[in-house]
């Protein structure tokens, strides 16, 4: 069993449900009424104006301590479990004569469009970088693997016995056990 089996394994698998705000937004404020929220917003605006009048900069909204939707933090206990699990993946793959590879988490968007069509871009974290190039956080590893093998220009004996445990990203609706950020043993 993993070194910390007091629930951290369930947390590492992503099966921990997070609370979500209701459609009208009142649950997001910790159960406060709309009136209370308006009062707090007015108080914050007044404080910002006061700070600005004194020559300071407005404080702005507080920074959330929650990670972005669909992602998660790995605190030490969860990290121990994740490292234990990934070590088991690596041990098993190496026993079967696979060798590990990795690649950038950022790829050219066209690599995925070519595989999945234009509609795949709706499920990707894609953007134009500062050089004007359309890029994407990798939603899967298969196109990257194909790109890597093609870059070798026939200098590798096929089939390859490579494995990876990449971090992948998909912009999908967050559900229990299905997040936007995930690791995948390939």
């Amino acid at each position: 069993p993993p070194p910390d089996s007091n629930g951290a394994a369930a947390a590492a698998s992503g099966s921990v449900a997070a609370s979500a705000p209701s459609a009208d937004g009142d649950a997001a404020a910790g159960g406060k009424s709309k009136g209370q929220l308006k009062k707090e917003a007015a108080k914050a605006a007044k404080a910002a104006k006061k700070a600005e009048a004194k020559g300071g900069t407005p404080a702005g909204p507080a920074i959330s301590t929650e990670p972005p939707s669909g992602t998660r933090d790995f605190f030490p206990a969860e990290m121990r479990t994740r490292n234990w699990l990934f070590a088991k993946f690596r041990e098993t793959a190496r026993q079967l004569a696979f060798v590990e590879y990795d690649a950038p988490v950022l790829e050219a968007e066209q690599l995925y469009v070519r595989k999945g069509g234009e509609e795949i871009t709706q499920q990707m974290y894609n953007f134009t970088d500062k050089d004007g190039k359309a890029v994407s956080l990798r939603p899967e590893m298969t196109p990257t693997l194909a790109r890597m093998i093609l870059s070798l220009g026939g200098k590798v004996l096929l089939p390859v016995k490579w494995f990876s445990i990449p971090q992948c990203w998909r912009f999908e609706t967050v559900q229990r056990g299905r997040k936007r950020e995930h690791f995948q043993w390939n």
Side-chain angles (χ1 to χ4, degrees), residues 2-16 72 74-82:
D4 183 9
S5 58
N6 63 359
S13 69
S15 63
V16 176
R72 57 173 303 176
F74 286 91
F75 291 98
E78 291 96 357
M79 198 66 200
R80 259 192 314 277
T81 303
R82 189 180 101 180

Side-chain angles (χ1 to χ4, degrees), residues 18-42:
S19 61
S22 66
D24 63 2
D26 63 351
K32 295 179 182 177
S33 71
K34 288 183 182 178
Q36 288 172 317
L37 291 174
K38 284 182 182 179
K39 283 181 185 178
E40 288 180 6

Side-chain angles (χ1 to χ4, degrees), residues 56-110:
T57 58
I63 296 174
S64 173
T65 59
E66 296 295 317
S69 177
T71 65
R72 57 173 303 176
D73 294 319
F74 286 91
F75 291 98
E78 291 96 357
M79 198 66 200
R80 259 192 314 277
T81 303
R82 189 180 101 180
N83 287 341
W84 173 86
L85 182 62
F86 286 10
K88 293 297 179 189
F89 290 163
R90 287 182 173 96
E91 178 185 337
T92 302
R94 288 182 180 127
Q95 286 174 352
L96 297 169
F98 283 80
V99 291
E100 190 167 11
Y101 74 97
D102 199 6
V105 70
L106 193 64
E107 284 280 9
E109 182 181 291
Q110 189 59 33

Side-chain angles (χ1 to χ4, degrees), residues 69-70 170-176 178-180:
S69 177
R170 289 207 181 224
F171 191 82
E172 298 177 322
T173 303
V174 178
Q175 302 171 23
R176 182 180 172 114
R178 186 171 180 91
K179 300 199 178 287
R180 293 178 174 169

Side-chain angles (χ1 to χ4, degrees), residues 144-167:
T144 299
L145 175 61
R147 178 190 58 75
M148 289 173 68
I149 291 183
L150 286 173
S151 75
L152 295 174
K155 297 177 186 168
V156 64
L157 185 61
L158 298 176
V160 296
K161 289 191 78 169
W162 294 359
F163 80 94
S164 65
I165 309 171
Q167 183 178 26

Side-chain angles (χ1 to χ4, degrees), residues 46-58:
K46 187 177 177 182
K49 282 183 183 179
K50 191 174 180 180
E52 197 171 347
K54 288 184 178 181
T57 58

